[in-house]
Structures are given as C-alpha cells and as structure tokens.
C-alpha cells in the first residue's frame, strides 16, 4: 500500500487487498442490498435523499455511504418490476456488446479489459457525479485503445 510517500508491499498488504475486495463484494454490498429492500418495504421515503447515505445511516447510525449492487438502487428508485426490467435490459445490452467485442477482438485483451472495467465500475457503484470522473476515464481509455487498434489494423493492411 502507498501511505505517506512510502510503498509497502508485504504479505499483510496482499492479504488486505484480497480480503477487502471479498468483504466488500459479499458482505458490505450484500447487507446494503438487504437493508435497501427492508427500508423500501417499511415505507421509508428515499425521495430527495442520497440512497447510499440513508442506508449507511440506518445500518451504522451516522454519516457515510453504504455501497450495494446496481440492482438495489434500481429497485429503490423505480420499484421492483421496473427495476428488474431496467436491470434485465442493461444486462442484455452488456451481453450483446460483450459478444460483439469478443467476436471482433478475440486477441486484443486491452479492449476486453477496458470493457470489463466499465462493467465492473457500473456494476459495483452508483452512477453519480462522484463516480462520473472514473467512468469517463475508463471510457476515454476504451476509445484510445479502440482507435489505436483500428490504426494498427490499417497499418497492417498497408504493409
């Protein structure tokens, strides 16, 4: 880990990175999802409130943000049926784009990695102004790799 201008790389760092991601994905986001559904069922009004912060306050009783799976916020924002329809539509679009990328870029792991990064960011965070710079940076990288890939193909055809 990098802290106070020092790079520390030891077994504790690796252990933390591994455990942190598993804990966030399976425990923190899972509990955030369940609490969102519980709050929705109990009649809590999320209108005008940041969902993530309201859930954190319910869980821990203070200021902060509780992450969850993308579907959790869709259900809170649009209801169960519309949330599932939107989620299914997004998954269908992702599957369609993934199949196109996989077919056209079988040997280009850079394009596949950037696409995975976009899906990972969208799937594990909310689409908010705070996350917008991350999403823009990843999409920008995707287009750079995409353009470089097209230019490389054109150069190969000329030679």
């Amino acid at each position: 880990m990098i802290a106070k201008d020092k790079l520390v790389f030891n077994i504790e760092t690796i252990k933390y990175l591994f455990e942190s991601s598993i804990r966030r994905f399976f425990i923190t986001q899972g509990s955030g999802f369940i609490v969102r559904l519980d709050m929705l069922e109990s009649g809590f009004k999320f209108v005008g409130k940041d969902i993530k912060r309201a859930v954190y306050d319910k869980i821990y009783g203070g200021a902060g943000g509780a992450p969850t799976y993308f579907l959790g916020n869709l259900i809170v924002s649009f209801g169960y049926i519309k949330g599932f329809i939107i989620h299914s539509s997004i998954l269908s679009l992702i599957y369609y784009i993934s199949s196109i990328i996989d077919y056209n870029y079988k040997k280009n792991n850079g394009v596949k990695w950037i696409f995975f990064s976009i899906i990972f960011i969208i799937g594990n965070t909310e689409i908010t102004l705070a996350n917008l710079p991350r999403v823009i940076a990843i999409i920008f990288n995707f287009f750079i790799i995409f353009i470089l890939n097209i230019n490389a193909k054109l150069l190969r055809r000329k030679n």
Side-chain angles (χ1 to χ4, degrees), residues 18-139:
F18 181 72
E19 289 175 355
S20 175
S21 60
I22 290 174
R23 183 175 45 249
R24 177 182 170 95
F25 188 75
F26 289 108
I27 298 169
T28 308
Q29 290 189 353
S31 66
F33 183 76
I34 292 167
V35 170
R36 277 169 175 75
L37 296 181
D38 180 61
M39 290 172 76
L40 190 63
E41 289 297 316
S42 68
F44 184 84
K45 301 295 181 200
F46 286 96
V47 179
K49 296 181 181 180
D50 184 10
I51 297 169
K52 173 165 79 167
R53 297 199 191 298
V55 170
Y56 188 91
D57 185 43
K58 169 94 172 163
I59 295 172
Y60 302 108
T68 192
Y69 307 110
F70 185 60
L71 178 60
N73 287 343
L74 290 175
I75 291 172
V76 168
S77 299
F78 301 106
Y80 287 104
I81 294 173
K82 285 182 186 177
F84 280 116
I85 289 171
I86 293 169
H87 188 258
S88 298
S89 300
I90 291 170
L91 287 180
S92 298
L93 180 65
I94 289 169
Y95 178 77
Y96 178 72
I97 293 171
S98 296
S99 63
I100 291 172
I101 288 175
D102 192 45
Y103 179 78
N104 291 318
Y105 300 99
K106 285 187 188 292
K107 296 180 181 178
N108 191 329
N109 290 330
V111 171
K112 290 180 182 181
W113 177 253
I114 294 294
F115 184 70
F116 168 78
S117 299
I118 293 169
I119 301 308
F120 185 79
I121 291 282
I122 291 172
N124 286 310
T125 63
E126 301 165 314
I127 300 175
T128 61
L129 287 176
N131 291 325
L132 191 61
R134 293 179 206 153
V135 174
I136 289 172
I138 290 172
I139 292 172

